[in-house]
Amino acid sequence: MAPDDISRAEADRLRRLDGPARAARTFEVLADRGVLWVWGDEDEVLFTEDAKRRTLLPIWPHAAVARLEHEGEVDGERPMKIPMTVFLTEWLPQLAEDDADISIFPVEERGAAVITVEEFRARMG
């Protein structure tokens, strides 16, 4: 378990929250801890697509919740920690250039908040 991770019981509890509550919790954790988690491997990060065919970058507030969504699907993939300073200065401009949005704390078969790069930047103030 990563040093700033949470228990499986806490991860399960957070996963049961509805989409708006998961998004609110995510922004609280990002502001408090200054990191977020994406899923990928040494070569690439997982992106998804929604029903409207928008490219989305899923992010999570804790490695444990990302792990519960994906672990065991592809060998070598894992939660990857991204400092907020790096995400804001390097990732957001690239996401904007790629016309990608951000999926906040997606959970299988439950709606996730999807926001634009500009909305994310505004929330992080």
Side-chain angles (χ1 to χ4, degrees):
M1 192 182 311
D4 59 343
D5 213 350
I6 57 173
S7 71
R8 168 127 190 178
E10 178 65 5
D12 284 334
R13 184 189 73 75
L14 292 174
R15 290 177 72 233
R16 288 190 298 272
L17 297 173
D18 66 14
R22 289 193 320 273
R25 176 67 181 156
T26 298
F27 282 104
E28 290 170 9
V29 172
L30 299 183
D32 181 52
R33 295 191 176 177
V35 300
L36 59 80
W37 297 85
V38 297
W39 190 259
D41 62 22
E42 297 302 321
D43 298 320
E44 62 185 2
V45 171
L46 172 76
F47 282 81
T48 61
E49 241 181 32
D50 67 5
K52 297 177 185 176
R53 302 196 47 85
R54 291 182 295 185
T55 300
L56 305 174
L57 173 66
I59 66 167
W60 292 271
H62 303 285
V65 291
R67 195 174 295 112
L68 288 174
E69 289 304 306
H70 297 286
E71 197 163 54
E73 290 182 12
V74 178
D75 285 344
E77 288 188 349
R78 60 181 167 63
M80 298 171 56
K81 185 179 188 177
I82 310 295
M84 282 306 302
T85 54
V86 171
F87 192 76
L88 293 170
T89 61
E90 296 177 23
W91 287 63
L92 287 186
Q94 186 63 52
L95 290 171
E97 185 177 308
D98 294 341
D99 196 28
D101 292 327
I102 301 168
S103 177
I104 309 293
F105 196 159
V107 175
E108 188 175 333
E109 298 184 25
R110 302 190 83 187
V114 174
I115 63 174
T116 66
V117 168
E118 294 79 21
E119 290 168 326
F120 186 92
R121 192 181 307 279
R123 290 278 305 257
M124 291 309 296

